[in-house]
Coordinates of all heavy atoms in Angstrom, one line a residue:
S234 N 123.8 76.4 72.6 CA 124.3 77.5 73.4 C 125.6 78.0 72.7 O 126.3 77.3 72.0 CB 124.6 77.1 74.8 OG 125.6 76.0 74.9
L235 N 125.9 79.3 73.0 CA 127.1 79.9 72.4 C 128.4 79.5 73.0 O 129.4 79.5 72.4 CB 126.9 81.5 72.4 CG 125.7 82.0 71.6 CD1 125.7 83.5 71.7 CD2 125.8 81.6 70.2
F236 N 128.3 79.3 74.3 CA 129.5 78.9 75.0 C 129.4 77.4 75.5 O 128.4 77.1 76.2 CB 129.8 79.8 76.2 CG 130.3 81.1 75.9 CD1 129.4 82.2 75.7 CD2 131.6 81.4 75.7 CE1 129.8 83.4 75.3 CE2 132.1 82.7 75.4 CZ 131.1 83.7 75.2
R237 N 130.3 76.6 75.1 CA 130.2 75.1 75.5 C 131.6 74.6 75.7 O 132.6 75.1 75.2 CB 129.6 74.4 74.4 CG 128.1 74.4 74.3 CD 127.5 73.8 73.1 NE 127.6 74.6 71.9 CZ 127.6 74.2 70.7 NH1 127.6 72.9 70.4 NH2 127.7 75.0 69.7
V238 N 131.6 73.5 76.5 CA 132.9 72.8 76.7 C 133.2 72.0 75.5 O 132.4 71.3 74.9 CB 132.8 71.8 77.9 CG1 134.1 71.0 78.1 CG2 132.5 72.6 79.2
K239 N 134.4 72.2 75.0 CA 134.8 71.6 73.7 C 136.2 71.0 73.7 O 137.1 71.6 74.3 CB 134.8 72.7 72.6 CG 134.8 72.2 71.2 CD 133.5 71.5 70.8 CE 133.5 71.1 69.3 NZ 132.3 70.4 68.9
L240 N 136.4 69.8 73.1 CA 137.7 69.2 73.0 C 138.4 69.7 71.8 O 137.8 69.9 70.7 CB 137.5 67.7 72.9 CG 137.1 66.9 74.1 CD1 136.7 65.5 73.8 CD2 138.2 66.9 75.2
D241 N 139.7 70.0 72.0 CA 140.5 70.4 70.9 C 141.1 69.2 70.1 O 141.8 68.4 70.7 CB 141.7 71.3 71.4 CG 142.4 72.0 70.3 OD1 142.9 71.3 69.4 OD2 142.6 73.3 70.4
D242 N 140.7 69.1 68.8 CA 141.1 67.9 68.0 C 142.7 67.8 67.9 O 143.2 66.7 67.8 CB 140.5 68.0 66.6 CG 139.0 67.9 66.7 OD1 138.5 67.3 67.6 OD2 138.4 68.4 65.7
I243 N 143.4 68.9 68.0 CA 144.8 68.9 67.9 C 145.5 68.6 69.2 O 146.4 67.7 69.3 CB 145.3 70.2 67.2 CG1 144.7 70.3 65.8 CG2 146.9 70.2 67.1 CD1 145.1 71.6 65.1
K244 N 145.1 69.4 70.2 CA 145.8 69.3 71.5 C 145.4 68.1 72.4 O 146.2 67.7 73.2 CB 145.6 70.6 72.3 CG 146.2 71.9 71.6 CD 146.0 73.1 72.5 CE 146.6 74.3 71.9 NZ 146.4 75.6 72.7
C245 N 144.2 67.7 72.1 CA 143.7 66.5 72.9 C 144.5 65.3 72.5 O 144.6 64.9 71.4 CB 142.2 66.3 72.7 SG 141.5 64.9 73.6
T246 N 145.0 64.6 73.6 CA 145.7 63.3 73.3 C 144.9 62.1 73.7 O 145.4 61.0 73.7 CB 147.0 63.3 74.2 OG1 146.7 63.4 75.6 CG2 147.9 64.5 73.8
S247 N 143.6 62.3 74.0 CA 142.7 61.2 74.4 C 143.2 60.4 75.6 O 143.1 59.2 75.7 CB 142.5 60.2 73.2 OG 141.9 60.9 72.1
C248 N 143.8 61.2 76.6 CA 144.3 60.5 77.8 C 143.2 60.0 78.7 O 143.5 59.1 79.5 CB 145.3 61.5 78.5 SG 144.4 62.9 79.2
G249 N 142.1 60.6 78.6 CA 140.9 60.2 79.4 C 140.8 60.8 80.7 O 139.8 60.5 81.4
L250 N 141.6 61.8 81.1 CA 141.5 62.4 82.4 C 140.2 63.2 82.5 O 139.6 63.2 83.5 CB 142.7 63.3 82.6 CG 144.1 62.6 82.9 CD1 145.2 63.6 83.0 CD2 144.0 61.8 84.2
C251 N 139.9 63.9 81.4 CA 138.7 64.7 81.5 C 137.4 63.9 81.6 O 136.5 64.2 82.4 CB 138.6 65.6 80.2 SG 138.6 64.6 78.7
G252 N 137.4 62.7 80.9 CA 136.3 61.8 81.1 C 136.1 61.2 82.4 O 135.0 61.0 82.9
M253 N 137.3 60.9 83.1 CA 137.2 60.3 84.4 C 136.8 61.3 85.5 O 136.3 60.9 86.5 CB 138.6 59.8 84.8 CG 139.0 58.5 84.0 SD 140.6 57.8 84.6 CE 141.8 58.9 84.0
S254 N 136.9 62.6 85.2 CA 136.4 63.7 86.1 C 135.1 64.2 85.8 O 134.5 65.0 86.6 CB 137.4 64.8 86.1 OG 137.4 65.5 84.9
C255 N 134.5 63.7 84.7 CA 133.1 64.2 84.3 C 132.0 63.5 85.0 O 131.8 62.3 84.7 CB 133.0 64.1 82.8 SG 131.4 64.6 82.2
K256 N 131.4 64.2 86.0 CA 130.3 63.5 86.7 C 129.0 63.4 85.9 O 128.1 62.7 86.4 CB 130.0 64.3 88.0 CG 129.7 65.8 87.8 CD 129.8 66.6 89.1 CE 129.7 68.1 88.9 NZ 129.9 68.8 90.1
S257 N 129.0 63.9 84.7 CA 127.8 63.7 83.8 C 128.1 62.5 82.9 O 127.2 62.1 82.2 CB 127.5 65.0 83.0 OG 127.1 66.0 83.8
E258 N 129.3 62.0 82.9 CA 129.7 60.9 82.1 C 129.3 61.1 80.6 O 128.8 60.3 79.9 CB 129.0 59.6 82.6 CG 129.5 59.3 84.0 CD 128.9 57.9 84.5 OE1 127.7 57.6 84.2 OE2 129.6 57.2 85.2
C259 N 129.6 62.4 80.2 CA 129.2 62.7 78.8 C 130.4 63.0 77.9 O 130.3 63.4 76.7 CB 128.4 64.0 78.8 SG 129.2 65.5 79.4
I260 N 131.7 62.8 78.4 CA 132.9 63.0 77.6 C 133.4 61.7 77.0 O 133.9 60.9 77.8 CB 134.0 63.8 78.4 CG1 133.4 65.1 78.9 CG2 135.2 64.0 77.6 CD1 134.4 65.9 79.8
D261 N 133.4 61.6 75.7 CA 133.9 60.4 75.1 C 135.3 60.8 74.6 O 135.5 61.3 73.4 CB 133.0 60.0 73.9 CG 133.5 58.8 73.2 OD1 134.5 58.2 73.7 OD2 132.9 58.4 72.2
S262 N 136.3 60.7 75.5 CA 137.7 61.2 75.1 C 138.3 60.4 74.0 O 139.2 60.9 73.3 CB 138.5 61.2 76.4 OG 138.5 59.9 77.0
E263 N 137.9 59.1 73.9 CA 138.5 58.3 72.9 C 138.1 58.8 71.5 O 139.0 58.8 70.6 CB 138.0 56.8 73.1 CG 138.6 55.8 72.1 CD 138.2 54.4 72.3 OE1 137.6 54.2 73.4 OE2 138.4 53.6 71.5
N264 N 136.9 59.2 71.3 CA 136.5 59.7 70.0 C 136.5 61.2 70.0 O 136.0 61.8 69.0 CB 135.1 59.2 69.7 CG 135.0 57.7 69.5 OD1 135.9 57.1 68.8 ND2 134.1 57.0 70.2
K265 N 136.9 61.8 71.1 CA 137.0 63.3 71.2 C 135.7 64.0 70.9 O 135.5 64.9 70.1 CB 138.1 63.8 70.2 CG 139.5 63.3 70.5 CD 140.5 63.9 69.5 CE 141.9 63.4 69.8 NZ 142.9 64.0 68.9
K266 N 134.6 63.5 71.6 CA 133.3 64.0 71.5 C 132.7 64.3 72.9 O 133.0 63.6 73.9 CB 132.4 63.1 70.7 CG 132.7 62.9 69.3 CD 131.8 62.0 68.6 CE 132.1 61.9 67.1 NZ 131.2 60.9 66.4
I267 N 131.9 65.3 72.9 CA 131.2 65.7 74.2 C 129.7 65.8 73.9 O 129.3 66.4 72.9 CB 131.7 67.0 74.8 CG1 133.1 66.9 75.2 CG2 130.8 67.4 76.0 CD1 133.7 68.2 75.7
D268 N 128.9 65.1 74.7 CA 127.4 65.2 74.6 C 127.0 66.5 75.3 O 126.8 66.5 76.6 CB 126.8 64.0 75.2 CG 125.2 64.0 75.0 OD1 124.7 64.9 74.4 OD2 124.6 63.0 75.5
E269 N 126.8 67.6 74.6 CA 126.4 68.8 75.2 C 125.1 68.8 75.9 O 124.9 69.6 76.9 CB 126.3 70.0 74.1 CG 127.7 70.3 73.5 CD 127.9 69.6 72.2 OE1 127.2 68.6 72.0 OE2 128.8 70.0 71.4
T270 N 124.2 67.9 75.5 CA 122.9 67.9 76.2 C 123.0 67.4 77.6 O 122.1 67.6 78.4 CB 121.9 66.9 75.4 OG1 122.4 65.6 75.4 CG2 121.8 67.4 74.0
R271 N 124.1 66.7 78.0 CA 124.2 66.2 79.3 C 125.3 67.0 80.1 O 125.4 66.8 81.3 CB 124.6 64.7 79.3 CG 123.5 63.8 78.8 CD 123.9 62.3 79.0 NE 124.9 61.9 78.0 CZ 125.7 60.9 78.1 NH1 125.7 60.2 79.2 NH2 126.6 60.6 77.2
C272 N 126.0 67.8 79.5 CA 127.1 68.6 80.2 C 126.4 69.6 81.1 O 125.6 70.5 80.6 CB 128.0 69.2 79.2 SG 129.3 70.3 79.9
V273 N 126.7 69.6 82.3 CA 126.1 70.6 83.3 C 127.1 71.8 83.6 O 126.8 72.6 84.5 CB 125.7 69.9 84.6 CG1 124.6 68.9 84.4 CG2 126.9 69.3 85.3
S274 N 128.1 71.9 82.8 CA 129.1 73.0 82.9 C 129.6 73.1 84.3 O 129.6 74.2 84.9 CB 128.4 74.3 82.5 OG 127.9 74.3 81.2
C275 N 130.1 72.0 84.9 CA 130.7 72.0 86.2 C 132.1 72.4 86.2 O 132.7 72.8 87.2 CB 130.5 70.7 86.9 SG 131.5 69.4 86.1
F276 N 132.8 72.3 85.0 CA 134.1 72.7 84.7 C 135.2 71.9 85.4 O 136.3 72.3 85.6 CB 134.4 74.2 85.0 CG 133.4 75.1 84.4 CD1 132.6 76.0 85.1 CD2 133.2 75.1 83.0 CE1 131.7 76.8 84.5 CE2 132.2 75.9 82.4 CZ 131.5 76.8 83.1
N277 N 134.8 70.7 85.9 CA 135.8 69.8 86.5 C 136.8 69.4 85.5 O 138.0 69.2 85.8 CB 135.1 68.6 87.1 CG 134.3 68.9 88.4 OD1 134.4 70.0 88.9 ND2 133.6 67.9 88.9
C278 N 136.4 69.2 84.2 CA 137.3 68.7 83.2 C 138.4 69.7 82.9 O 139.5 69.3 82.5 CB 136.5 68.3 81.9 SG 135.4 69.7 81.3
L279 N 138.0 71.0 83.0 CA 139.0 72.0 82.6 C 140.2 72.0 83.6 O 141.3 72.4 83.3 CB 138.3 73.4 82.7 CG 137.1 73.6 81.7 CD1 136.7 75.0 81.8 CD2 137.4 73.2 80.3
K280 N 139.9 71.6 84.8 CA 140.9 71.6 85.9 C 142.0 70.5 85.7 O 143.1 70.7 86.0 CB 140.2 71.5 87.3 CG 141.2 71.6 88.4 CD 140.5 71.3 89.7 CE 140.1 69.8 89.8 NZ 139.6 69.4 91.2
V281 N 141.5 69.4 85.2 CA 142.4 68.2 85.2 C 143.3 68.2 84.0 O 144.4 67.6 84.0 CB 141.6 66.9 85.3 CG1 140.9 66.8 86.6 CG2 140.7 66.8 84.1
C282 N 142.9 68.9 82.9 CA 143.6 68.8 81.6 C 144.8 69.8 81.7 O 144.6 71.0 81.9 CB 142.8 69.2 80.4 SG 143.6 69.0 78.9
K283 N 146.0 69.3 81.6 CA 147.2 70.2 81.7 C 147.8 70.6 80.4 O 148.7 71.3 80.3 CB 148.3 69.4 82.5 CG 147.8 68.9 83.9 CD 147.4 70.0 84.8 CE 146.9 69.5 86.2 NZ 146.4 70.6 87.0
K284 N 147.2 70.1 79.3 CA 147.7 70.3 78.0 C 146.8 71.2 77.1 O 147.1 71.4 75.9 CB 147.9 69.0 77.2 CG 148.9 68.1 78.0 CD 149.1 66.7 77.2 CE 150.1 65.8 78.0 NZ 150.3 64.5 77.3
G285 N 145.8 71.7 77.7 CA 144.9 72.6 77.0 C 144.1 71.9 75.9 O 143.6 72.5 74.9
G286 N 143.8 70.6 76.1 CA 143.1 69.9 75.1 C 141.6 70.0 75.3 O 140.8 69.5 74.4

Side-chain angles (χ1 to χ4, degrees):
S234 61
L235 296 181
F236 289 89
R237 280 172 282 158
V238 177
K239 193 74 174 176
L240 287 169
D241 191 305
D242 293 335
I243 299 176
K244 295 181 180 180
C245 178
T246 61
S247 298
C248 66
L250 288 176
C251 56
M253 288 187 288
S254 67
C255 178
K256 54 194 174 188
S257 294
E258 299 183 321
C259 66
I260 300 180
D261 184 1
S262 55
E263 183 178 348
N264 297 312
K265 298 183 180 181
K266 292 182 179 179
I267 297 177
D268 183 1
E269 293 95 343
T270 63
R271 290 186 289 157
C272 176
V273 296
S274 300
C275 66
F276 307 125
N277 287 353
C278 54
L279 305 185
K280 183 188 69 171
V281 298
C282 184
K283 306 300 180 183
K284 299 180 180 180

